[in-house]
Amino acid sequence: MMLDASTMVLVLALGNLALCALLTFFNHGPTRSPALVLWSLSKQIQGGAWLLLALGDAGVVPAPIAVPGGYALLFAGVAVEGGASWEAARRRGWRTPTIIVGGLAILGFFLCYLIDEEALRAVAASLLLGGFYFSGALALAWRWRDVSLLQRFLALASMALALVVASRGLSVLLLPGGWGWLTSELLGQLSSGALYLLMLGNAFGVLLLTRERLQDALERAEVIDPLTDAPNRRGFFQLLGPWMALARRPGQPTSLVVFDPDGFKRVNDSYGHPAGDVVLRQMVELCRRQLRDSDQLGRVVGVEFALLLPRTNLTEAALVAERIRAAIESTPFKGERAMIKLTASFGVTTIRPEDSTTTLFQRADEALQQARQAGRNRVELASETLAEV
């Protein structure tokens, strides 16, 4: 059974207000996502808008106040909802266009309402709401290849529903008498239903996407060092595993390089740990610029780093290590108060068929220790593998 227009408006009002209460608890805490804050604000505005329209339908608030005021709030709320989607897509420039377009939409609706309280008002409302919802759907589809299947589905579903909402206004303009079985009344019902589904779909979509992103962040935190954005010990060992297995088969060797900046404690003691963190980040970026896309750099413990160099023999790995060593030595790093000079020591080895991660790192660490004992700022090859060069 189809709901009449007044009942549907009341349902939309209560639904949006219920979502406000849900988000108050879901997004409560010292750190709040800007996108979720905006989305919660949009639901508050939309809830108030639909409630004002429902009170107007019930005769509690005069129609000349309820209709223009309710739709003005509704356009503002849906515009903010679209802005929340663009905020989540990290497109920070949405604010000014949204304010301008939202203001023009409200002004245009007022003009249509003054000209024709019924037909032209319905056209303007449908087209404007459909346009704002479609904008939010485009934000969900932004960077299509990089987003999850859930986000792609929500983008396509929102686009389809936004078009249904807009179709009511288009039908009044192009097909005022309907088209066959698709009457104006049926389109009105479909448009109201689409608004209801957009409310529910966007609500559950936002909550599910937030949960999905939190899960991705937790999984990333398990394998990525937050300071340098490089794999941590666990992440590096996961990357190393397949190459350890390939080393048991005939083929090109794979090399491991371990290194750390010489006397880095001096940097922390002299300039403070924040400056030390800045220098480490800069050093990692410098190292990455010397590597191929297939090479992997990880922070394995403290300020000790490791390089996984696939299909690279010992001689080639020594050249890579020497290139990075020279780059670190010749590049002053910008701290908070001074330019800081660094050097680094390197130990190089290759993966053997019989290696475990313990024996592999033990051999590389021994070479690193030799570099330190020989005066630092140098590259040493693991003594057991010198014959392989």
Side-chain angles (χ1 to χ4, degrees), residues 112-123:
C112 292
Y113 179 75
L114 291 174
I115 296 170
D116 186 342
E117 293 185 8
E118 295 297 332
L120 195 55
R121 182 193 80 185
V123 171

Side-chain angles (χ1 to χ4, degrees), residues 280-359:
L280 274 185
R281 282 195 295 267
Q282 293 178 23
M283 186 190 73
V284 166
E285 287 303 314
L286 177 66
C287 293
R288 283 181 173 141
R289 291 197 290 270
Q290 314 301 318
L291 300 174
R292 304 167 299 182
D293 291 340
S294 59
D295 300 333
Q296 297 291 340
L297 182 150
R299 185 180 183 183
V300 290
V301 59
V303 293
E304 184 173 306
F305 295 84
L307 296 173
L308 174 64
L309 306 176
R311 301 181 179 87
T312 306
N313 63 33
L314 194 63
T315 303
E316 295 166 339
L319 291 174
V320 173
E322 176 59 30
R323 186 167 67 243
I324 294 175
R325 185 207 64 77
I328 292 174
E329 182 184 24
S330 62
T331 303
F333 298 100
K334 186 177 181 181
E336 295 180 345
R337 293 176 295 167
M339 301 299 290
I340 301 171
K341 296 283 289 183
L342 277 183
T343 61
S345 300
F346 295 76
V348 184
T349 189
T350 54
I351 302 175
R352 295 176 171 182
E354 68 276 10
D355 265 332
S356 65
T357 53
T358 301
T359 60

Side-chain angles (χ1 to χ4, degrees), residues 231 234-244 296-297 308:
R234 179 176 181 178
F236 188 81
F237 274 56
Q238 288 181 2
L239 296 170
L240 179 62
W243 295 102
M244 296 285 292
Q296 297 291 340
L297 182 150
L308 174 64

Side-chain angles (χ1 to χ4, degrees), residues 119-177:
L120 195 55
R121 182 193 80 185
V123 171
S126 299
L127 293 177
L128 291 171
L129 287 175
F132 282 126
Y133 277 121
F134 198 83
S135 171
L138 286 178
L140 287 173
W142 196 257
R143 294 179 179 173
W144 178 265
R145 293 183 179 180
D146 299 329
V147 301
S148 66
L149 288 175
L150 171 63
Q151 188 163 334
R152 292 180 186 181
F153 168 77
L154 290 171
L156 292 175
S158 297
M159 286 180 184
L161 291 171
L163 290 174
V164 172
V165 172
S167 68
R168 183 185 182 188
L170 291 173
S171 70
V172 173
L173 287 176
L174 303 177
L175 299 167

